[in-house]
Amino acid sequence: MKYLFINSVAGFGSTGRIAAEQCRGLMAQGHECVLAFGREEANCSDIPTVRIGTPMDYRLHGAESRLLDDSGFGSRRATRRFLDWVREYDPDVIWLHNVHGYYIHLGELFTYLRGCGKTIFWTLHDCWSFTGHCAYFDYVGCDRWKTGCHDCPQKRAYPASILLDNSRKNYEKKRELFTGIPNVTLIVPSHWLESRVKESFLRDYPVKVVYNTVNREIFKPTPGNFREKYGLENKIILLGVASVWDERKGLRDFLALHDLLDEEYAIVLIGLSAKQIQSLPAGILGLPRTNSVQELAEAYTAVDVFLNPSTEETFGMTVLEARCCGTETVVYQGTACEEVVSQFGGIAEGERMGRIFGYVAERIIETQEEADAARYDTQSRGYRRSDRRQIAGRKDIGDYEWKDRPGSTRMDGRQIINAEDQFLLGYALPHSTGGIGNTFRYRNWTLNVYMDYALGHSVRNDMQMRYFQSTMGNCN
C-alpha cells in the first residue's frame, strides 16, 4: 500500500521523529511511504520526503498569523501545488500529524480530504485541532473550546497573535472543515487527550489510544562524556528537556527548585533559547535545542533524575525517552505524563515510592503450534529442545506467554513482548509501619516482648521466582 504522511517537520522534534518511525516501520513491512513536511529541513535521509512550499511561504504564513490570528489559513498557493502532487502520487492511506505550524492551508487540504475517498488517520499531538487558537488550555483553566471559543486568554501564546483575536471565527471554520469527513480515524497518544477529544466537536469520529513509541536502538543506555564535557563529574544532575520552554513547560519551577538545592546538585535544561540561557542563574546549565538524538540519549543516560514539571502534556515523549535510557523520571500529576510513568515506570508527584514492575503470565504454552504462534519476546534467548537451536525471540513448550499491553511496540505487524509490557505488580515499601514493645519483671525474671509490622507492600520471593519462572533448563 502507498502511505502519505503529513506533518510540520520531518525527522526531528517529537512529532517529526514519531512520523519518521511510522514510515520506517511500514517500509520494513513492504509498504511505500512518503513523508510530506513544511518547515525546517528533513532529518531522515532514509525516508522519501516532499516539501510543502518554501521557507518564504511559511515565514509569510507566520507573519500573517501574528497580525490576523489566522494560523492555518495561509500558504494557499503552496498547498494547491502540493495537492496537485498528491493527486498524481495517489496514496491509499493519508496519515495526518500536526497540520498547524504555518505551512499548509486547512481549507484547501480538508476540502480535498472530504472528497478524496481515501482512508484517513489523524494523529493528534495536542488540542489545537478543536480550539479557536491555542494548543493547550487546562493550565489557564479555559473551557470555551467545549462550546465555542471567543476572547482568547492566550492570544499571545502559540500560535501567537499580536494584533487581532480571531478565535471565534477560527473555531467555527475548524468545526466546519474538520467534521463530517468520511473514513477518518483519530489517533491520540493518551487517555488524557482522548477525554478532551470526546468533549469537543470531533467527538463523532472513532478515537483510538495508541501510546507513542521511541526507537530503542537509539534511546537506550548510552555512555558518553556529557558529565566531563560540562564539568559535572561530581554532581547529582537533574535534567529537563523541551523543544520550546514556555510557561506550560515548568521553567519557573526549575528556577524555584534551584533556590532549594545546595551545591551538590546541578540542573541542566536542554532546548532553551539564547535569551533564556543568558537569563539563567549560576548553577543551572542551559543548552540550546539539539537535533541529534545521539546527544539526547547520552544526556538522558548521564544524569541522575529526569524531571518534567509541565502542567499540561498530551503524552510526554521526553519522559519515555529518558526511561528507555535507564533514568528515573519524576512528573506532575494531572497530565498525560502521569499516564506515561504508570505505563513505563517513574514517579508522579504524590505517588508512592518503590513501585515494582514486571511481566504478567497469560498462560503456559502447551503445544508446538502455540509456541510457533507466540509473540516475539525480546528477552527470550529462543532455545528449543526439539531442534537444539537458539533463535532470539521465540518460545518453546512450557514457557510462559506474557500478557501484552495494548499499544506496545509492534514488529513486522505483530505485537511483541518487551519492556513496555510490564505491569505494576506491587510496592517494595510499606505504606504503614509500627511496633509495640513491653518489659515484664517478676523478681529475678525479665521478659522482653516486641512486635513490629509493615503493611501495604509486596514480599519478593526470589527462591519461588527462580524455580517457577521460565529460566530453568532452556534459558528462555
Side-chain angles (χ1 to χ4, degrees):
M1 296 181 69
K2 296 169 71 173
Y3 284 79
L4 171 62
F5 288 81
I6 301 176
N7 189 47
S8 55
V9 292
F12 74 90
S14 58
T15 64
R17 290 197 293 269
I18 290 168
E21 283 302 316
Q22 287 180 319
C23 288
R24 292 187 182 102
L26 289 167
M27 290 166 63
Q29 297 174 35
H31 299 288
E32 181 180 336
C33 295
V34 174
L35 174 53
F37 69 102
R39 298 188 57 171
E40 308 299 336
E41 296 295 329
N43 189 34
C44 47
S45 57
D46 57 326
I47 298 171
T49 59
V50 60
R51 180 156 199 158
I52 303 171
T54 65
M56 181 58 69
D57 286 322
Y58 84 75
R59 289 191 184 99
L60 290 174
H61 190 157
E64 179 182 331
S65 177
R66 283 295 182 99
L67 296 174
L68 305 179
D69 190 21
D70 63 348
S71 175
F73 295 97
S75 304
R76 184 185 293 271
R77 184 175 299 177
T79 304
R80 287 177 175 174
R81 289 196 298 265
F82 168 65
L83 291 176
D84 288 340
W85 175 88
V86 174
R87 292 183 182 94
E88 183 179 346
Y89 179 64
D90 193 25
D92 300 296
V93 179
I94 297 176
W95 201 316
L96 307 177
H97 282 265
N98 275 349
V99 293
H100 58 80
Y102 316 122
Y103 75 101
I104 201 164
H105 190 282
L106 299 176
E108 297 289 338
L109 174 63
F110 280 85
T111 298
Y112 164 76
L113 294 176
R114 188 176 300 277
C116 69
K118 310 292 186 183
T119 298
I120 302 169
F121 296 111
W122 189 1
T123 298
L124 305 182
H125 298 283
D126 52 42
C127 307
W128 182 87
S129 58
F130 50 88
T131 73
H133 179 87
C134 68
Y136 298 93
F137 40 70
D138 276 4
Y139 76 106
V140 294
C142 180
D143 61 359
R144 297 171 192 172
W145 56 276
K146 295 180 181 180
T147 55
C149 289
H150 59 88
D151 303 313
C152 181
Q154 297 191 87
K155 189 180 79 168
R156 294 298 182 94
Y158 173 84
S161 172
I162 60 175
L163 189 60
L164 297 183
D165 177 356
N166 223 357
S167 57
R168 186 190 300 272
K169 186 176 180 180
N170 289 339
Y171 182 89
E172 295 298 332
K173 289 166 71 174
K174 286 183 182 179
R175 181 165 61 182
E176 180 181 357
L177 288 169
F178 294 170
T179 58
I181 299 176
N183 304 319
V184 171
T185 299
L186 301 180
I187 298 173
V188 295
S190 64
H191 293 286
W192 182 93
L193 184 53
E194 178 191 28
S195 67
R196 273 67 179 172
V197 170
K198 289 183 176 180
E199 293 185 89
S200 76
F201 56 66
L202 298 176
R203 67 175 68 89
D204 293 332
Y205 288 125
V207 182
K208 294 176 62 177
V209 177
V210 179
Y211 291 122
N212 292 333
T213 60
V214 300
N215 187 337
R216 291 178 179 269
E217 295 300 314
I218 296 174
F219 291 102
K220 60 184 179 180
T222 307
N225 66 341
F226 183 85
R227 285 178 174 266
E228 294 76 11
K229 182 178 180 180
Y230 296 107
L232 303 172
E233 294 94 327
N234 300 314
K235 297 287 188 177
I236 300 173
I237 305 176
L238 313 179
L239 175 66
V241 176
S243 57
V244 178
W245 281 96
D246 55 20
E247 187 74 17
R248 176 178 57 89
K249 289 293 187 178
L251 180 57
R252 288 188 180 181
D253 289 0
F254 272 111
L255 297 177
L257 178 63
H258 168 261
D259 294 336
L260 300 175
L261 301 176
D262 58 31
E263 294 182 355
E264 184 181 8
Y265 295 84
I267 295 176
V268 178
L269 303 178
I270 297 176
L272 295 170
S273 67
K275 183 178 179 180
Q276 288 172 323
I277 292 174
Q278 291 176 358
S279 65
L280 290 177
I284 298 183
L285 172 62
L287 301 174
R289 180 178 178 178
T290 176
N291 292 330
S292 169
V293 290
Q294 181 71 22
E295 290 180 4
L296 271 180
E298 290 180 5
Y300 287 134
T301 304
V303 305
D304 297 284
V305 180
F306 177 81
L307 301 180
N308 188 328
S310 176
T311 54
E312 190 171 3
E313 292 283 356
T314 56
F315 184 73
M317 280 294 289
T318 56
V319 178
L320 180 55
E321 290 169 354
R323 287 296 302 158
C324 291
C325 292
T327 301
E328 186 61 82
T329 58
V330 180
V331 304
Y332 280 157
Q333 288 185 325
T335 76
C337 290
E338 180 182 4
E339 202 172 320
V340 174
V341 299
S342 71
Q343 297 285 333
F344 304 107
I347 301 170
E349 176 195 24
E351 283 188 335
R352 289 180 57 186
M353 303 286 285
R355 294 188 296 172
I356 301 172
F357 286 86
Y359 299 98
V360 174
E362 189 173 77
R363 60 189 172 88
I364 296 176
I365 297 172
E366 299 181 357
T367 66
Q368 193 63 53
E369 290 74 20
E370 290 181 356
D372 292 338
R375 303 180 188 97
Y376 182 97
D377 187 343
T378 58
Q379 301 297 316
S380 173
R381 297 183 181 181
Y383 178 82
R384 284 186 180 173
R385 293 179 292 275
S386 59
D387 58 15
R388 297 186 179 181
R389 296 175 61 199
Q390 187 168 293
I391 301 176
R394 70 176 181 172
K395 293 297 189 74
D396 197 7
I397 298 171
D399 289 340
Y400 286 129
E401 176 76 305
W402 302 115
K403 188 175 180 179
D404 184 50
R405 294 190 76 100
S408 60
T409 303
R410 294 175 182 269
M411 178 179 288
D412 298 331
R414 298 175 59 191
Q415 291 281 3
I416 69 171
I417 299 297
N418 60 13
E420 296 176 14
D421 294 300
Q422 297 186 66
F423 291 77
L424 177 62
L425 303 181
Y427 299 88
L429 303 178
H431 61 63
S432 303
T433 60
I436 183 171
N438 205 347
T439 301
F440 302 92
R441 292 186 177 87
Y442 177 74
R443 295 186 179 181
N444 294 328
W445 294 87
T446 300
L447 175 63
N448 294 311
V449 178
Y450 179 77
M451 296 180 291
D452 61 8
Y453 64 87
L455 304 176
H457 67 295
S458 301
V459 177
R460 181 186 174 105
N461 190 330
D462 285 322
M463 185 62 71
Q464 183 187 48
M465 187 166 59
R466 174 174 173 77
Y467 281 102
F468 285 94
Q469 68 181 340
S470 297
T471 60
M472 303 303 291
N474 63 3
C475 297
N476 271 357

